[in-house]
Amino acid sequence: DTLWDLAVAEVEKRENGEGDGEGAEVSEKSVLFMGSKNGVMTNTMRSCAFSEHSLEEIPKPTLALEYTFGRRARRHNTPKDIAHFWELGGGTSLQELIRVPITSNNIRAFAIVLVLDLSKPDELWTTMESLLHVTRSHVNKILTKLGKTNPGVATEIKQRMWNNLQKDHPDYELVDPFPLPLVIIGSKYDIFHEFDSEMRKIISKTLRFVSHYYGASLVFTSKSEAVLLKARILINNLAFGVDKSKSVSLDHSRPLFIPAGLDSLHQIGPPPASDSDIGKLHANTPLELWKKVFEKTFPPKSSCDLQYTKDPAQDLQYAEYEVDVMRAQKNE
């Protein structure tokens, strides 16, 4: 056999899943978890990404930017695909660290999971808007550079933004997909479920609109294993390419589960406010209108209140004798 014959045979063997798996291409994807502070995200990430995580364990809040990874075999006796999991701590206070994990080298296989605390609606919009704005800005800078050095990749990423929405979808011209695959998780549904029904409806409809507008999937989570399973499906899709569920739950009295592209502005309806109230609000875009309606019901906390104020240097879990002695000398 010639070298070309051997090469063709090798490719056919890989495509047919034959052989011992050696030489099979290993997939590497990256997922960045970010969102509400105080450990909400940590628990959500561990329980969704790793099924063996104990939900009773109280996680320590992520300090800055933490990393872990997971592996999964596509089939028996093949190399395991790798997923890199990054977690940004501190709510919105350390958002500039977003540029560390997202680079031009991995942007083609990068995804975002935004975790929002449903029990604190007064922090919800500010957290979401701030983190998504910084992330989008950073990604756009990378795409601009790639457009000059590797235009093919930049074009591929921009086209992929629209993959979740069919061209015949009635909202195709009305949305603005996020440049990276995005999943929005509403955590602490257990507490949220005790809210007044009208409050739940406003929060749910608003998150449905935002998710649909950005071409994102939306899922609410609680400590229930059945509810967590749906979030885990979406995250496994981002991390390992596992097929995502086509089921949908739009009922505001139950945990929402809406994979990207399966909602519509018609089903979501108008912002939850009277026509006269909407007429008094000056908004240039639909997103801005929804923001003003939402913040009329849930006045936002100031950005200062969302900052991570605890000094990690005083936390005993990070004690390091030599460093602490030098620091004490410096302070003195």
Side-chain angles (χ1 to χ4, degrees):
D1 289 346
T2 66
L3 185 61
W4 287 113
D5 292 331
L6 293 171
V8 169
E10 179 65 26
V11 169
E12 288 177 348
K13 187 187 294 183
R14 290 187 200 175
E15 290 178 346
N16 296 329
E18 296 172 0
D20 58 4
E22 290 184 12
E25 186 177 350
V26 174
S27 165
E28 279 195 52
K29 297 189 177 185
S30 300
V31 181
L32 172 64
F33 285 75
M34 58 186 185
S36 303
K37 58 180 181 176
N38 297 332
V40 172
M41 180 178 46
T42 306
N43 203 20
T44 305
M45 188 196 88
R46 302 272 189 245
S47 54
C48 290
F50 305 106
S51 58
E52 67 271 16
H53 173 70
S54 170
L55 298 182
E56 299 305 316
E57 178 186 337
I58 299 175
K60 293 174 181 175
T62 300
L63 245 187
L65 189 64
E66 291 192 3
Y67 168 82
T68 187
F69 70 94
R71 296 191 299 170
R72 180 187 182 114
R74 269 176 273 186
R75 53 184 176 270
H76 179 64
N77 206 23
T78 58
K80 292 183 177 180
D81 293 335
I82 301 170
H84 305 279
F85 293 105
W86 295 88
E87 183 184 2
L88 179 71
T92 60
S93 60
L94 300 172
Q95 58 192 19
E96 291 305 316
L97 289 176
I98 284 171
R99 66 176 182 265
V100 174
I102 308 175
T103 68
S104 57
N105 293 326
N106 64 14
I107 194 169
R108 293 175 73 181
F110 210 100
I112 302 293
V113 176
L114 176 66
V115 182
L116 300 173
D117 188 344
L118 295 174
S119 70
K120 297 179 180 177
D122 55 348
E123 298 179 8
L124 193 148
W125 191 284
T126 305
T127 299
M128 173 185 67
E129 182 178 57
S130 179
L131 290 171
L132 290 184
H133 172 74
V134 170
T135 305
R136 185 165 214 159
S137 176
H138 175 60
V139 171
N140 286 339
K141 287 179 183 176
I142 292 177
L143 292 178
T144 300
K145 289 182 180 178
L146 280 176
K148 298 174 182 176
T149 60
N150 198 336
V153 172
T155 301
E156 175 196 327
I157 293 171
K158 290 175 182 176
Q159 290 176 342
R160 190 185 61 190
M161 292 162 53
W162 295 92
N163 283 355
N164 289 321
L165 213 59
Q166 301 298 323
K167 285 193 175 181
D168 59 353
H169 193 290
D171 305 331
Y172 192 81
E173 301 292 334
L174 304 174
V175 297
D176 184 19
F178 201 70
L180 297 178
L182 174 65
V183 169
I184 297 178
I185 293 179
S187 67
K188 292 194 176 179
Y189 179 80
D190 317 68
I191 300 173
F192 172 77
H193 188 62
E194 301 301 320
F195 284 12
D196 172 76
S197 61
E198 192 58 31
M199 289 174 63
R200 292 203 312 271
K201 184 178 179 181
I202 293 172
I203 296 170
S204 296
K205 285 189 69 172
T206 300
L207 286 178
R208 280 181 65 187
F209 172 81
V210 170
S211 299
H212 184 59
Y213 183 78
Y214 283 130
S217 297
L218 175 66
V219 59
F220 286 178
T221 64
S222 67
K223 291 183 178 180
S224 162
E225 183 63 26
V227 174
L228 273 174
L229 178 62
K230 292 187 175 182
R232 202 173 288 141
I233 289 171
L234 292 177
I235 292 172
N236 277 327
N237 171 257
L238 298 181
F240 300 109
V242 176
D243 290 342
K244 57 186 176 184
S245 172
K246 292 293 184 182
S247 67
V248 179
S249 175
L250 304 174
D251 186 352
H252 295 146
S253 64
R254 300 168 62 86
L256 295 181
F257 177 72
I258 312 171
L262 298 185
D263 210 343
S264 70
L265 296 176
H266 176 72
Q267 292 180 95
I268 296 168
S274 65
D275 292 342
S276 59
D277 284 342
I278 289 178
K280 296 173 186 174
L281 299 173
H282 301 286
N284 296 319
T285 64
L287 188 66
E288 191 178 337
L289 177 62
W290 277 84
K291 175 184 177 180
K292 292 192 173 186
V293 170
F294 183 82
E295 293 186 341
K296 192 172 185 297
T297 306
F298 305 105
K301 281 188 176 182
S302 68
S303 57
C304 294
D305 293 333
L306 296 177
Q307 299 299 308
Y308 192 82
T309 55
K310 184 180 177 183
D311 181 4
Q314 306 303 320
D315 193 324
L316 293 178
Q317 71 170 313
Y318 303 111
E320 199 165 339
Y321 179 75
E322 291 83 357
V323 176
D324 295 339
V325 167
M326 295 299 292
R327 185 183 179 94
Q329 288 180 9
K330 181 177 183 294
N331 290 339
E332 196 174 318

